Amino acid sequence: MPDDADLAARIAADLAQVKWPAGDEIRRTARRRTRRSVLAASLSVLVLFSGIWVVATRPLQAPPLQTGFAAAPESVPEPVPTTIGPGDPAWIPPEALLTPEDVGQGLVASRVSVDQDRPVGDWMFTLAPCRNYLSVRTYEGVYQFRRQQTVEYPPKIPGQPETGMPVLYQTVMRLPAGAAEQMMSDAVTVAKVCPKYVSEGTLSAAEAGRSGQVVKQLPVQTTHAWQLVDRGFAGDESLLFKHTMVASTGARRADLGASAVVVLRVGDLVATVEQVDGENPARTRKLAARAASWLCTTATPPC
């Protein structure tokens, strides 16, 4: 079983990556449901309270193997095929992202994905539960190309990649003219209107040996807080946010710690770099500067 430090890091990292509906979809839903409250997307998690062990699963990550309890089966999305290749101006090469060596020794890159021409949507903040977000006008266009990766420790259990401990998440998007600058402005705006909010979901436990049958469900509330702590330290534009989370099931509370999230622009590229352990801002700024340097030759115009 993971130690307490590993547990807190895994929970914080995974909850931060939960994907919510795109902003335009949320607004359409809110308009349709004039007589009903707008509910945030449910949070898929596995809970074992014998020692307060809560594990969240990312959309692209298979549920972790547990002792005594096992997560109900989940479908894993297939990679999205792309028509953009190295010869296309929108292409973002792997070399434009941080390397595991940039982040730390003994790390590996995993869950690498690429896609193209899709709505930006809720690209950074888990803001669907924030009521004020519905009134904010943000960029609702598409990105031309996107590359994502997770940098983590190698799996603790050989052959089970989902048991690796995430250290950093990175996303790089290429945007149409003017959109990159707008998204940087959007990041500041939404952090101001939604500095603190609560998301609601359901904790589900499935007992091993029962074919994944769910044996217990509990409502869970996660309190999110976002704080802009620095700006203008890397690339053409850069923002450093502190994201803290506290989960509660009513009788029990778990401090999920803080992650550091950098939003960075170089030319027409916007990158997010999330460091799971956000307690060292100087280290985060250094990683952001390194990330900006890798984007320089890929950006339009190049540095």
Side-chain angles (χ1 to χ4, degrees):
M1 181 177 291
D3 58 26
D4 291 342
D6 282 354
L7 169 60
R10 185 183 296 279
I11 297 169
D14 290 343
L15 284 178
Q17 297 298 313
V18 172
K19 299 295 183 183
W20 302 93
D24 55 350
E25 179 181 347
I26 296 170
R27 295 183 181 95
R28 287 195 301 268
T29 302
R31 288 192 290 267
R32 289 197 302 266
R33 298 180 181 179
T34 57
R35 299 197 176 199
R36 292 184 293 170
S37 59
V38 180
L39 300 179
S42 296
L43 178 64
S44 299
V45 292
L46 169 70
V47 60
L48 174 59
F49 273 115
S50 58
I52 306 190
W53 187 9
V54 184
V55 178
T57 56
R58 287 168 46 102
L60 300 180
Q61 176 180 345
L65 177 68
Q66 309 300 337
T67 302
F69 276 64
E74 276 191 30
S75 61
V76 178
E78 293 292 330
V80 178
T82 64
T83 59
I84 292 177
D88 194 289
W91 171 254
I92 300 173
E95 295 78 15
L97 276 67
L98 291 165
T99 68
E101 292 75 19
D102 291 330
V103 183
Q105 295 183 348
L107 301 177
V108 296
S110 68
R111 290 185 281 278
V112 177
S113 66
V114 296
D115 55 10
Q116 68 181 73
D117 299 328
R118 301 184 69 182
V120 167
D122 183 15
W123 60 281
M124 176 185 161
F125 301 98
T126 53
L127 288 171
C130 175
R131 294 182 179 181
N132 292 338
Y133 177 60
L134 299 176
S135 64
V136 178
R137 296 194 60 84
T138 58
Y139 176 70
E140 297 181 356
V142 300
Y143 51 79
Q144 297 168 322
F145 195 79
R146 179 178 70 173
R147 185 178 292 274
Q148 298 178 296
Q149 70 171 359
T150 298
V151 178
E152 63 183 14
Y153 287 103
K156 291 189 174 182
I157 302 176
Q160 297 185 19
E162 68 274 10
T163 62
M165 180 62 64
V167 175
L168 179 142
Y169 301 103
Q170 184 178 15
T171 297
V172 179
M173 294 180 286
R174 191 180 301 278
L175 284 304
E181 291 87 344
Q182 181 179 346
M183 288 179 64
M184 296 298 296
S185 176
D186 290 348
V188 176
T189 300
V190 296
K192 288 181 179 179
V193 300
C194 292
K196 190 173 183 179
Y197 52 92
V198 177
S199 62
E200 297 184 357
T202 302
L203 295 171
S204 301
E207 188 173 358
R210 295 193 180 184
S211 302
Q213 179 182 356
V214 174
V215 297
K216 190 172 185 179
Q217 288 188 324
L218 292 172
V220 61
Q221 292 186 330
T222 303
T223 301
H224 300 258
W226 288 88
Q227 179 185 6
L228 177 59
V229 296
D230 198 4
R231 62 194 307 169
F233 50 88
D236 294 326
E237 296 180 80
S238 52
L239 306 166
L240 173 59
F241 295 91
K242 181 179 181 181
H243 179 207
T244 59
M245 292 182 292
V246 177
S248 172
T249 60
R252 299 180 184 272
R253 291 171 59 86
D255 184 352
L256 306 182
S259 63
V261 181
V262 170
V263 185
L264 172 69
R265 183 180 71 83
V266 178
D268 62 344
L269 300 175
V270 170
T272 60
V273 179
E274 178 176 2
Q275 194 171 6
V276 174
D277 179 4
E279 300 302 326
N280 188 341
R283 170 64 175 158
T284 303
R285 291 185 187 90
K286 184 177 179 180
L287 280 173
R290 187 62 170 166
S293 69
W294 288 129
L295 294 175
C296 270
T297 58
T298 304
T300 304
C303 299

